[in-house]
Amino acid sequence: MIIADNVSKIVPTATGELTILNHVSLSVNDGDSLAIIGPSGAGKSTLLGLLAGLDTPSTGSINLGQYCITDMNEEQRAKVRAEFVGFVFQTFQLLPGLSAIENVSLPLELTGRKRATEMAKEYLSKVGLAERLTHYPKQMSGGEQQRVAIARAFACEPKILFADEPTGNLDSKTGGQIADLLFDMNREQQTTLVLVTHEHRLADRCDSRLVIDGGEVAVDS
Amino acid sequence: MNPETTLITDIKTALRMLWRDWRGGQLNLVFSALVVAVAVVAAVATLANRVEQSLERDLGTFIASDLLVRSGQDIRPELIAAADQLQLQTAYVTELRTIAYAGEKSTLIELKAVSESYPLRGELEIEDLNTGEAVVTARTPSIGTAWIEPRLLSLLEINIGDLLEIGALNLKVSEIVRHEPDADTGFSMFNGHVMMNIADLQATGLVLPGSRVSNRFLVAGEKEQVEGFQAWFDVNGSIHEEVRTPANSERRLNRAVDRGTNFLLLAGAIGVILASIALALASQQYASRLTDRIALMKAWGQSAKSVRTWLMLQILILGAIACAIGLALGWLIHYSLATIAAELLSVYLPDATAQPLILALLTGLICIVGFALPPLWNLPKIAPLRVLRRDLPNALASTSVRITIGIIAIATLVFWYSSAIFAVAFLGGTFAAALICGTVSLTLLGMGRKFGHWGGSYWRLGFNNLWRRKSHTLLQLVAFSMTIMLLTIIVALQTSLIQDWKDQIPVDAPNYFIMNVSEPDLDTAKSLLFEYSGSSEVPWYPMVRGRFSHVNNKKLTLEELDEIEDGDREINFTWAPDLPEGNTIIDGEWWNSAEGTLQPGYVSIEEEMATDLGVGPGDTMQFSIGGLPLTAAIASIRVVNWDNMTPNFFYIFSPGTLDGYPSTWLSGAHLPDDRGEFANAMARQLPTAVTIQIDEILNRIRGLIERLSSGLELMVWMILGCGLLVLFATIGSSLDQRKHESAILRTLGSSRTLIIGSLSVEFLSLGILSAVTGILCAEGVIAVLQTQAFELDARLHPELWPAALIVGAGVIGLLGIARSLPVVTTPPLQSLRDISA
């Protein structure tokens, strides 16, 4: 379960303090999906970063499962991320020098997981890329790269998946296919999904949505 | 992701990342730069170590005795008696320079006649004729035989068992000498060495009264005995005698060896500096490519500690492999240098100790710590939030920090390679050279950019690229222009400078010197010379060997004699009624210029010698010739034209002054189209005379300079290789930006031809600018060498320019274009995608 209580993020700038998020609260039950939606610059990605433990709020608290990550230092948060969290990014974030199977197996190898390569193969097959195991990102289309990224994220069997505009760099048809894949695998693994998007069609597929505008919650449904 | 990361996991991560990054070509330059840095140091340090060992091997026995007395006169019976009284072991060595003949072949040699007890200390090694290995021998040449050094076999085209004519004697070549404990490291090491039995010396007829010989009386024994002999000598030694001990020989040798080692290592340091710069640039580029990866890995839960562990492990493993390969490559390179050195020094080089290995490995370590690690050090601190916010800092170390650490690392290396004074001089000199090259380069670049505006778009784009990346451009220009400057100077040494010196010698200057002609043989020598030259006007000069001892009745101390050129050894005196050609009186008068002055007791001194002594007309000097004193009044001071290739003398006495002193005669003559016939005729009729063909000496000098400079050339080509690494590193660091620019230009409609054209202009201009700067600076240095070292008129050397331009435009330009080709071969869409990702 994810609980954010009265979270604010204020950053200093040359002209004074800038409030990016202002007293945002939310909760997501295990296995549910939440879409964070809003216009550009609303603070969606900032909120995502805070929820994932990549950053710390100026005020408020955030709990991932039984861990209050706002009370932790970066090393402690890293351990929580290693245990709980997976990511899918708008820009795919595949490592260009690694093949598809290497990209997927990398996070498994980092944690010393055995059978990393076999699991990577398995997940690449699930996303329909069984024939592209040794291909490099530059040899793949955007949709194929995002499939590899999704395989990479789910291969680690995270409890929570954070997706930042996963279809943002894709055309609508490909984006639709990727969205289908994302939700299918999410359902299969019973992962809690937090999704940042500006696409309402994608947001509609989630169990709940949180509209952020100007750093504040506009709608919570 | 539950299992906790362990050290084993980090090691596996390091190995995986290392392999994958290597496979992707991201570590090529880092690796190559390290390999080159280690290889350069390994090569020069191994060579220096082997040469040092070879020369120091018998340091305690470098004079083949515990003490020796050296004299230009016969060894006095008093010395022998003193040694006998102290029950010292004794040996005798006589050395002189003469010509050895084998059939039609002849060459200048250093002849060493030894007694049977030689050497008293150290070991004489000869070649086992079956195995070719060097073996220690307790024997010395028996009567009627000669032992020669290996290079004489090819010089004279002889073999074991053949006859060698030395003076009036034919000796059978019976052994090949591989090592003499007291082999000289002076000029004589460039001539072939022949060893014979001292009992045969008289029969050669070479040692005449007044001949130029070096007699050595060697003693050895217990410490008290040797000290007793030294004490006796301090009281009873003659001015014509000089004592040498291992201590004073060691000081001289250590100074020479230290200077040589320092020079070699500092020459290698230039290559190491360039390789280090390439390493720093390549590491910076690698680090910038790692930022996104590390941010992602930290987002997945990797701790900063883990990241640092596998990152450092990765670099250390890479460094270890690079050092191992660098050592192997360095050994191979040193082998080429060692072959040249062994031939030059005519020595056998023993195997190196572990010291150069340690020096090279530590150089690798300093390069890793000083240049590879700084860009990577802060990477573990990258914020994981960077996966969402690319605008966050990339945690790379600042340029000023990296430069500071780099300078400290370079200074550490240079000071470690040499003494403090050498290091400071080297760093200062390198900085000055870099400053000059950089200033010239930047000026030319500015001019090129200005004129480039008048050219088409290729020129504008190309020069703008160079100007926009000014810091990289300047770095490349300085590195390459200095390298081309060095190459040009070396080629000039090999070719033009020697030829320039030869060209300024008058056409009819003597090409033969005839020496060691006794008084009874003088008429025969004159007749032979007339027969072959057709001229009876060839002057002959009497020569007496002696040394000066007093000025105005004040005895010169040993320290004063050491300060004066030739003050500590026998020199050549002559007498002449008339002022010889090539001499000009600048003070005083010649003795026949006024009535009644053609009488004994006067001397005319060369200008620089007079200045050293602080004497002028009216002063008196006392000399010692064969132990007999002679006083003469200074009548005049002369300027001598030493370049006219005729016999010249520092001291010329008035006729009659040297009567009664033993003398030989010498002359210099020009024999056109001779083909060595005169030398052969002299050898047949006057075997005790020494007939030297000047061309042979010049060819020997030229060969020596060619061999020396080919070794230097090898070093400079290595340095050029290091410079190319810098080129590749700077291109690599700007490649993404170039691809981006190219993608945008091509998207906006520019053709591939335009991009390639501007790249061609950019790198060919870089190469040509480097070449032009290198040539300008080289001509400056060569002008200094010409005027100061060779005393020639300065001139330009356009014959060297094409080669420099080819290296610049060809090597640098074409390689730069080739390395940059991904800019045009990468599809624009891919470049734009890569950048937006």
Side-chain angles (χ1 to χ4, degrees), chain B residues 498-639:
Chain B
I498 296 295
Q499 192 56 46
D500 286 349
W501 180 72
K502 270 187 89 172
D503 286 344
Q504 58 86 44
I505 298 172
V507 171
D508 58 350
N511 58 353
Y512 270 98
F513 274 131
I514 309 106
M515 300 170 10
N516 208 46
V517 175
S518 65
E519 183 79 44
D521 289 339
L522 183 59
D523 287 337
T524 309
K526 283 182 177 178
S527 300
L528 269 173
L529 193 54
F530 173 68
E531 182 186 332
Y532 282 85
S533 70
S535 169
S536 59
E537 301 297 323
V538 178
W540 282 84
Y541 304 86
M543 191 177 82
V544 170
R545 299 275 292 167
R547 56 197 302 176
F548 52 83
S549 60
H550 293 66
V551 172
N552 293 327
N553 297 316
K554 179 180 168 290
K555 187 175 178 177
L556 295 167
T557 64
L558 283 174
E559 290 73 30
E560 285 170 326
L561 287 169
D562 270 345
E563 293 293 311
I564 300 165
E565 188 176 348
D566 295 335
D568 59 346
R569 60 187 190 93
E570 306 267 304
I571 49 181
N572 301 326
F573 302 148
T574 192
W575 71 83
D578 301 315
L579 184 66
E581 204 177 308
N583 287 255
T584 310
I585 301 290
I586 59 168
D587 197 5
E589 290 182 346
W590 192 250
W591 30 79
N592 67 350
S593 64
E595 276 188 30
T597 57
L598 191 65
Q599 51 183 288
Y602 290 94
V603 65
S604 175
I605 305 182
E606 189 269 345
E607 178 203 13
E608 284 183 20
M609 179 67 73
T611 306
D612 278 353
L613 288 165
V615 297
D619 289 325
T620 60
M621 287 187 69
Q622 190 169 325
F623 305 87
S624 179
I625 302 173
L628 301 174
L630 169 75
T631 301
I634 298 171
S636 59
I637 309 296
R638 293 168 288 120
V639 167

Side-chain angles (χ1 to χ4, degrees), chain B residues 90-289:
Chain B
T90 60
Y92 303 86
V93 175
T94 297
E95 286 180 312
L96 59 127
R97 208 166 282 159
T98 186
I99 303 287
Y101 296 88
E104 298 296 311
K105 294 277 182 187
S106 64
T107 189
L108 192 61
I109 61 164
E110 303 293 323
L111 180 65
K112 181 187 229 164
V114 300
S115 61
E116 285 180 14
S117 51
Y118 168 90
L120 300 179
R121 295 283 184 249
E123 291 170 339
L124 186 57
E125 290 178 10
I126 56 174
E127 189 171 294
D128 183 319
L129 298 175
N130 293 321
T131 64
E133 299 288 315
V135 293
V136 174
T137 181
R139 296 183 290 119
T140 49
S142 51
I143 290 178
T145 67
W147 292 5
I148 64 174
E149 65 160 300
R151 64 177 140 163
L152 286 176
L153 294 171
S154 54
L155 266 174
L156 293 171
E157 293 177 8
I158 55 172
N159 286 304
I160 299 293
D162 288 345
L163 286 179
L164 197 62
E165 289 177 50
I166 296 180
L169 199 60
N170 285 332
L171 298 170
K172 185 174 166 187
V173 176
S174 62
E175 302 287 355
I176 297 170
V177 176
R178 293 285 289 271
H179 173 71
E180 302 167 48
D182 54 348
D184 204 344
T185 53
F187 182 74
S188 61
M189 73 181 180
F190 302 128
N191 295 327
H193 285 212
V194 174
M195 191 181 287
M196 59 182 282
N197 193 301
I198 203 166
D200 278 332
L201 189 58
Q202 192 170 5
T204 64
L206 291 170
V207 182
L208 305 170
S211 290
R212 187 171 173 163
V213 296
S214 171
N215 292 307
R216 300 182 190 200
F217 180 57
L218 281 57
V219 301
E222 297 297 324
K223 187 166 176 257
E224 302 75 36
Q225 294 167 297
V226 175
E227 284 172 354
F229 185 83
Q230 169 86 68
W232 177 90
F233 182 85
D234 289 342
V235 174
N236 300 289
S238 147
I239 189 175
H240 294 277
E241 293 163 349
E242 179 199 358
V243 153
R244 296 271 297 277
T245 62
N248 60 31
S249 300
E250 178 178 342
R251 270 196 299 281
R252 283 168 50 161
L253 178 63
N254 273 343
R255 272 203 305 275
V257 167
D258 280 349
R259 272 200 293 271
T261 307
N262 286 343
F263 170 75
L264 274 175
L265 286 174
L266 287 177
I270 298 175
V272 173
I273 290 170
L274 285 173
S276 300
I277 292 172
L279 177 62
L281 289 169
S283 296
Q284 177 69 9
Q285 189 192 357
Y286 179 60
S288 66
R289 294 230 165 114

Side-chain angles (χ1 to χ4, degrees), chain B residues 714-764:
Chain B
L714 186 59
M715 292 285 308
V716 180
W717 281 112
M718 275 199 299
I719 292 169
L720 180 65
C722 297
L724 287 172
L725 280 177
V726 173
L727 174 69
F728 292 157
T730 50
I731 291 172
S733 66
S734 63
L735 200 58
D736 286 344
Q737 189 185 13
R738 288 172 186 274
K739 281 185 190 174
H740 183 210
E741 289 165 1
S742 167
I744 290 177
L745 282 171
R746 286 159 68 193
T747 305
L748 293 174
S750 296
S751 66
R752 196 184 273 201
T753 312
L754 174 68
I755 311 295
I756 295 176
S758 66
L759 278 177
S760 304
V761 166
E762 184 182 342
F763 288 107
L764 286 173

Side-chain angles (χ1 to χ4, degrees), chain A residues 20 45-46 48-50 52-55 74-75 77-79 81-87 89 91 93-99 102-103 105-113 136 138 140-142 145 152-153 156-159 164 169, chain B residues 1-6 8-10 12-14 16-17 19-21 23-24 26 289-290 292-306 310 380-390 392 826 830 833-834 836-837:
Chain A
I20 300 177
S45 296
T46 303
L48 190 79
L50 292 172
L54 297 174
D55 195 7
E74 166 53 29
E75 295 293 300
R77 291 201 305 276
K79 283 189 182 155
R81 290 198 300 271
E83 189 180 336
F84 281 110
V85 174
F87 293 94
F89 302 99
T91 56
Q93 298 263 24
L94 296 182
L95 299 180
L98 272 56
S99 64
E102 287 168 344
N103 264 289
S105 63
L106 179 60
L108 299 168
E109 290 162 354
L110 289 176
T111 52
R113 196 79 70 89
Y136 289 86
K138 65 182 176 190
M140 297 178 170
S141 66
Q145 290 186 53
R152 181 177 67 185
C156 300
E157 296 170 342
K159 295 192 174 49
D164 182 28
N169 273 18
Chain B
M1 300 182 214
N2 285 319
E4 198 158 351
T5 311
T6 64
I8 304 290
T9 308
D10 289 340
K12 285 182 182 174
T13 303
R16 273 195 205 101
M17 291 298 165
W19 164 244
R20 289 167 182 169
D21 287 344
R23 188 186 63 194
Q26 299 196 54
R289 294 230 165 114
L290 284 181
D292 289 344
R293 179 196 304 181
I294 290 173
L296 188 60
M297 289 161 88
K298 288 187 79 177
W300 288 334
Q302 276 258 290
S303 66
K305 182 175 167 227
S306 244
W310 67 253
K381 292 183 191 169
I382 287 175
L385 188 61
R386 208 180 131 85
V387 295
L388 296 176
R389 295 264 314 275
R390 299 292 296 280
L392 288 177
T826 306
Q830 186 179 327
R833 272 186 186 159
D834 289 343
S836 61

